[in-house]
Amino acid sequence: LSILDEQEHQMADLLLSGYSGFQIHQMMGIDKETYYTIRAEIYRKLEVQNRQELIMKVHRGRPIRRGKFQKQE
């Protein structure tokens, strides 16, 4: 994730934590279109097509430890 800028890294962490797009753009204080733009840039830089591929790439196929990336309430 070191190739991501600060805002992209923050969003990637939220994506990996299981937050929805709606929750992420609300939490980050950005509009929906900006959310989609930043998410697309994350996917492009990390060469993935979707959130599932992002998770697999970050964890390189290793199981996610329970609680590490769970949605916080």
Side-chain angles (χ1 to χ4, degrees), residues 9 12 16 20 28 66:
H9 196 278
L16 290 166
S20 70
M28 292 181 69
R66 189 158 181 71

Side-chain angles (χ1 to χ4, degrees), residues 6-72:
E6 185 177 334
Q7 190 175 41
E8 293 164 347
H9 196 278
Q10 178 187 8
M11 184 180 288
D13 284 343
L14 294 169
L15 288 165
L16 290 166
S17 295
Y19 289 100
S20 70
F22 177 79
Q23 291 171 312
I24 292 170
H25 86 76
Q26 292 289 313
M27 292 167 72
M28 292 181 69
I30 57 176
D31 64 37
K32 227 172 20 175
E33 294 306 316
T34 302
Y35 162 78
Y36 289 126
T37 300
I38 296 168
R39 187 185 68 179
E41 189 64 11
I42 291 167
Y43 289 177
R44 184 190 68 76
K45 286 181 176 181
L46 296 179
E47 300 177 347
V48 298
Q49 298 293 315
N50 54 49
R51 192 184 297 217
Q52 182 65 34
E53 288 183 15
L54 173 65
I55 292 167
M56 295 303 291
K57 183 156 196 153
V58 169
H59 295 286
R60 293 180 181 86
R62 294 175 296 197
I64 299 171
R65 290 187 308 204
R66 189 158 181 71
K68 184 170 183 180
F69 288 107
Q70 287 186 343
K71 189 162 118 179
Q72 297 176 2

